[in-house]
Amino acid sequence: MTAIPGIAVLGAGAFGTALASVLARRNTPVTLLGRDVAAMATLEVDRENTHSLPGIPLPTALTATADPACLASAHTVLLAVPSQQIGSAVRTHHDDLSPGATLVICAKGIEQASGLFLADVVKRETENMTIAVLSGPGFAADIARGLPTAMTLACQDAARAEHLTNLLSGNTFRLYASTDVIGVEIGGALKNVLAIACGIIEGRGLGESARAALIARGLAELGRFSAAHGGRPETIAGLSGLGDLVLTATSHQSRNMRFGLALGRGASPASLMAPDAPLSEGAFTATIAAKISRDRQIDMPITQCVAGILDATMSIDDAIDALMNRPLTTE
């Protein structure tokens, strides 16, 4: 194929397709790169991702391909692959990337094998490339349909963060610039763990008051974890923290919330984490976040309980009892 200068999105799942679509809707050339040659050829011809986003047509400015040569002319590459695959994806395509390209991480999580946040994972695999993080409350279907969505774009270089927000924002997709990369990453990663907890609450029929309490106390956990890593309080109170937490913890569109819902209704963690089960990023994040919080002595009781439920060292009833009978304290 002939490489199209501009923006490329690596990862042709629901979120990658949605991002490519909303960017291409402004008549900006965007290339969507997937792994499956046949699937990408079909997507290019049919102009629809029937597997992930059925019924939503692709804009004419979007080119779908499985040829990584498209990356050579992309000045901005959005990494829209699952969090545990970020490292291998960048490693695989390292030589395909244009020197000096900006890599925008669109996944939310912590690498389980290393305990690294995703910006550090990408730094490990690259040299002399600008790294940014896109996070916040945005479901793929909403973004792809052109429904109003606002998210956060973080980069340590303030000027580059502002440039990227201008480059990627549109009439229905509004980005806010930040330099708090670690705070934005933590909000996106840990809200998935809290969404599992909120799903458990709904699945057990514990009521909306319990859900509201968990969201509030979960936000406090996010704040403590972020502060311990140098994140800023206003980031956790913003789109990538509170905003994303509220969306993910209250909607059945959230895979993490549905994962918790199934747990609350009696499904086993093993069955929900089987290789052929729907991906729940929060299930990976819970274990490593719980370990980090123990090692660094960060008080994270909800995260610890979710991790305990997932590794079968704690029942849901035991988790509820542990949280409700902790020593009383001030807020």
Side-chain angles (χ1 to χ4, degrees):
M1 64 165 288
T2 300
I4 301 174
I7 301 169
V9 178
L10 176 57
F15 199 59
T17 302
L19 290 173
S21 295
V22 76
L23 297 174
R25 201 166 285 128
R26 308 165 308 168
N27 292 320
T28 299
V30 178
T31 305
L32 178 63
L33 176 62
R35 293 182 301 176
D36 189 316
V37 174
M40 296 310 291
T42 299
L43 194 152
E44 175 68 7
V45 171
D46 293 349
R47 311 304 301 166
E48 180 184 347
N49 189 330
T50 55
H51 176 72
S52 300
L53 293 170
I56 303 176
L58 301 181
T60 56
L62 188 157
T63 300
T65 183
D67 184 356
C70 68
L71 298 175
S73 60
H75 54 70
T76 305
V77 179
L78 278 62
L79 304 175
V81 298
S83 63
Q84 303 307 310
Q85 297 175 19
I86 284 284
S88 60
V90 175
R91 195 178 314 123
T92 297
H93 293 291
H94 181 276
D95 293 341
D96 301 316
L97 294 165
S98 171
T102 296
L103 305 182
V104 182
I105 299 165
C106 304
K108 302 169 182 178
I110 304 171
E111 188 177 66
Q112 197 171 36
S114 66
L116 292 175
F117 293 99
L118 301 185
D120 292 326
V121 171
V122 175
K123 285 179 187 175
R124 183 188 67 200
E125 305 294 342
T126 62
E127 296 178 0
N128 301 320
M129 290 188 181
T130 300
I131 299 170
V133 175
L134 175 68
S135 193
F139 286 137
D142 292 348
I143 294 171
R145 291 190 177 98
L147 299 179
T149 304
M151 302 180 74
T152 302
L153 191 292
C155 182
Q156 290 182 342
D157 183 326
R160 184 55 64 94
E162 187 172 341
H163 166 75
L164 288 168
T165 59
N166 288 321
L167 175 69
L168 302 176
S169 292
N171 291 335
T172 65
F173 191 60
R174 180 179 175 88
L175 300 182
Y176 288 80
S178 172
T179 57
D180 186 10
V181 173
I182 190 65
V184 169
E185 283 211 81
I186 285 171
L190 267 66
K191 61 87 184 178
N192 287 331
V193 179
L194 298 172
I196 291 175
C198 282
I200 292 172
I201 284 175
E202 182 173 332
R204 274 298 173 98
L206 300 179
E208 295 301 326
S209 298
R211 189 207 305 265
L214 191 140
I215 289 173
R217 298 312 304 162
L219 188 67
E221 286 195 16
L222 282 180
R224 290 192 292 270
F225 196 84
S226 177
H229 288 83
R232 298 197 293 265
E234 61 268 26
T235 302
I236 298 303
L239 288 166
S240 60
L242 176 61
D244 211 359
L245 172 58
V246 170
L247 179 71
T248 312
T250 60
S251 173
H252 287 194
Q253 286 191 66
S254 164
R255 287 175 296 187
N256 293 287
M257 200 275 190
R258 294 198 304 270
F259 183 98
L261 187 67
L263 284 174
R265 290 173 174 170
S268 70
S271 67
L272 296 175
M273 298 174 71
D276 58 346
L279 175 68
S280 170
E281 296 277 23
F284 293 106
T285 303
T287 301
I288 186 61
K291 182 180 184 304
I292 292 170
S293 68
R294 287 193 301 270
D295 291 346
R296 300 189 60 165
Q297 297 184 324
I298 307 168
D299 187 26
M300 308 232 351
I302 299 171
T303 300
Q304 295 290 348
C305 283
V306 172
I309 291 168
L310 293 179
D311 66 19
T313 60
M314 177 180 282
S315 71
I316 291 176
D317 288 338
D318 288 341
I320 295 169
D321 185 66
L323 289 172
M324 293 303 295
N325 288 289
R326 297 179 74 232
L328 297 177
T329 185
T330 59
E331 190 173 35

